[in-house]
Amino acid sequence: MSETEVQPRAYRRPVSTWWWLEKRSYFVFAMRELSSVFVAWFVVFLLMLTYAVGRGDDQYQSFLDWAATPWVVVLNLVTLVFVVLHMVTWFNLTPQATVVRLRGQRVPAWAIIASQYVGLAVVSAFVIWLVTR
Amino acid sequence: MTKRRVEPILWLLFSAGGVLAAVFLPVLVVLFGLAFPLGWVTPPSHDHLHAVLGHPLTALFLFGLFALCLAHWAHRFRYTLYDGLQLKGSKGLITVLCYGGAVLGSVVSAVVLATVV
């Protein structure tokens, strides 16, 4: 590495592979990062659903049957836990990443967080209406 | 393009995907992952779901949702691998696999969504 050539060699304590098990906050951080894997899994799941719907009613019904098999249900339950973890941590971080001003006043963090939950409720209601009407 | 110029764009895609995943995925996981397969709620008929998915606006939106969620995954998972598991040695390979996977997934999404429209 070129960095070591210009900088004096400092001792760097080796970090264990399991550093994220050392503290609760590290563990939550690691789980939050891991949530992305379940986000990706659910995109794959929705793509399989879309593909099945495109191929006809029989394929759609067998997709639903497959989705009801125990391992897929367990996987999707775990997915729900991680997706909710992603949602909560994402909403909580938003006020730190964005500063919103209204009439020159900085909008407080709680208001930004609350407005996201309102957005979530509106979106969820719309999706449920669209899919089940 | 240098790393410095690419990084903010990747962060923007990661961030957009993070917002969409937080707002849209919980309800979709509950409905399609649990409630419909397990019969808690009567699943939509094939005709209805086909009509919803076949609408160009739905397809366009879902393409955006899928592509950005995958970009979100790629960015986060890349750092999970090299900070979390200390795999700093294979940085290049991880970067290619993560972003390459997201690009490939987006192409597959476009193809699959096009079969319903």
Side-chain angles (χ1 to χ4, degrees):
Chain A
M1 286 228 200
S2 56
E3 288 164 15
T4 46
E5 289 166 17
V6 286
Q7 288 170 1
R9 277 189 204 172
Y11 171 71
R12 291 179 73 187
R13 195 174 142 259
V15 182
S16 149
T17 304
W18 307 103
W19 61 269
W20 47 276
L21 286 176
E22 286 165 17
K23 261 193 194 174
R24 204 184 116 84
S25 58
Y26 295 172
F27 179 72
V28 174
F29 167 79
M31 290 302 106
R32 193 191 80 193
E33 300 301 290
L34 197 62
S35 70
S36 64
V37 175
F38 293 91
V39 167
W41 151 248
F42 210 69
V43 169
V44 172
F45 181 86
L46 289 175
L47 279 172
M48 291 192 290
L49 168 72
T50 309
Y51 183 69
V53 169
R55 292 189 62 195
D57 193 21
D58 289 350
Q59 292 296 317
Y60 171 54
Q61 295 306 329
S62 45
F63 176 84
L64 287 177
D65 290 342
W66 171 77
T69 51
W71 76 268
V72 185
V73 172
V74 169
L75 181 56
N76 281 337
L77 265 177
V78 176
T79 301
L80 180 63
V81 172
F82 275 96
V83 163
V84 169
L85 177 73
H86 166 74
M87 178 194 83
V88 172
T89 51
W90 193 271
F91 286 177
N92 286 347
L93 272 178
T94 306
Q96 291 175 42
T98 42
V99 175
V100 183
R101 287 182 189 279
L102 262 185
R103 293 191 206 99
Q105 298 279 311
R106 188 171 169 174
V107 175
W110 67 263
I112 295 177
I113 295 174
S115 65
Q116 294 178 103
Y117 281 98
V118 173
L120 174 82
V122 171
V123 162
S124 302
F126 174 74
V127 170
I128 292 170
W129 170 79
L130 184 68
V131 169
T132 61
R133 78 197 155 109
Chain B
M1 249 200 279
T2 58
K3 197 179 173 230
R4 263 165 207 234
R5 282 162 68 188
V6 141
E7 201 63 27
I9 299 169
L10 294 176
W11 191 85
L12 212 66
L13 294 174
F14 156 76
S15 196
V19 173
L20 289 174
V23 174
F24 284 91
L25 285 190
V27 64
L28 290 172
V29 174
V30 169
L31 287 179
F32 290 99
L34 298 167
F36 295 148
L38 295 177
W40 300 344
V41 181
T42 315
S45 70
H46 176 262
D47 285 348
H48 177 64
L49 203 54
H50 196 278
V52 170
L53 288 172
H55 194 286
L57 276 181
T58 318
L60 201 64
F61 171 76
L62 284 179
F63 175 71
L65 177 71
F66 294 169
L68 289 170
C69 280
L70 290 173
H72 173 84
W73 162 78
H75 199 64
R76 211 165 223 190
F77 195 54
R78 169 188 166 206
Y79 287 105
T80 309
L81 289 181
Y82 47 86
D83 296 332
L85 298 177
Q86 305 287 312
L87 299 174
K88 310 237 184 217
S90 23
K91 232 174 182 168
L93 180 68
I94 289 172
T95 305
V96 170
L97 285 181
C98 287
Y99 297 116
V103 170
L104 185 70
S106 304
V107 173
V108 171
S109 303
V111 172
V112 171
L113 287 164
T115 63
V116 198
V117 179

